[in-house]
Structures are given as C-alpha cells and as structure tokens.
Amino acid sequence: QVQLVESGGGLVRPGGSLRLSCAASGFTLGYYAIGWFRQAPGKEREGLSCISTGNGRIFYADSVKGRFTVSRDNTKNVGYLQMNNLKPEDTAVYFCAEDNGPAGIPCTELPESYDYWGQGAQVTVSS
C-alpha cells in the first residue's frame, strides 16, 4: 500500500525553523519526484517546492526561495523540507506528494501532476 506520512509540523515563533519529513512506504521514493505544497484557510493549494530524481530540477516558489530547502534521503525513503525564518504568512497545512511519472522527468509545482499525497501537517507561525 502506497503511503506518505508527514511529520515535523507545529507552532513556532516568527523567525523560527521547522523541518518537515515525508516518509514513504509501499514504494521506493528515490524513483520519483517529490513535491511540497501548502494550503491556508480560504486559499488555493500552493506549490512551494519540488525535487526531481537524481540531479534533476529543484524548484522553489518565490514566496519561500532563500528560506526553504528541499532534500531527500533515498536510503531512508524520506523527503524533507527545511523551513527557516518562518513568517506568520507561512501558517498553513503542508503536504508532500509523489509524482508517479517516468523517472527522469523534471519535477513540477503543479498539484495535478502528483498521484499520492500525505495527510498534511499543520504549521503555525505566531508570537
């Protein structure tokens, strides 16, 4: 059974950091692109970052560029999103997702390209 489970969310003060993890089971995460998204109440799902397989494309949305870093550890079957200098406007539910497309295809920030999704992790940035 294919499953993605996020962890690492929580409450943090502005300027603080969190690292989200996306643990995969039922498939080898290293074969596929990983995307990270967030959705705040009343807003559309926003593509934040993605990482391709191998040394392929890495994408960051302008809203998080320079503050967030995406990575993956294929030996552990886990993806990560390191979030630094968090701001109140980063408050949202964060999701990881996996793209079942052919290996080697550049990752995309479009949510409709992804096939499996985690359950989401709440991130709240507040003083």
Side-chain angles (χ1 to χ4, degrees):
Q1 180 182 0
V2 173
Q3 192 173 17
L4 294 170
V5 178
E6 295 105 340
S7 60
L11 173 64
V12 64
R13 295 184 185 275
S17 298
L18 287 173
R19 187 177 78 160
L20 299 180
S21 299
C22 176
S25 60
F27 68 101
T28 301
L29 192 61
Y31 292 161
Y32 304 103
I34 304 167
W36 286 92
F37 301 82
R38 69 185 177 192
Q39 189 162 19
K43 295 188 177 181
E44 292 187 354
R45 189 162 295 190
E46 177 187 9
L48 302 177
S49 180
C50 71
I51 180 168
S52 306
T53 58
N55 294 316
R57 179 186 189 234
I58 291 178
F59 164 83
Y60 295 102
D62 288 344
S63 57
V64 304
K65 196 172 296 182
R67 301 188 297 124
F68 290 13
T69 303
V70 65
S71 62
R72 62 197 303 159
D73 186 338
N74 293 335
T75 65
K76 296 181 179 179
N77 227 27
V78 179
Y80 301 100
L81 186 68
Q82 177 68 43
M83 306 184 294
N84 298 329
N85 190 21
L86 283 161
K87 305 175 182 180
E89 52 264 42
D90 293 318
T91 296
V93 178
Y94 284 68
F95 300 88
C96 65
E98 175 259 346
D99 181 350
N100 256 1
I105 297 296
C107 69
T108 172
E109 63 273 28
L110 301 176
E112 56 266 30
S113 296
Y114 290 82
D115 302 284
Y116 294 100
W117 292 79
Q119 83 286 359
Q122 176 68 47
V123 172
T124 303
V125 185
S126 175
S127 55

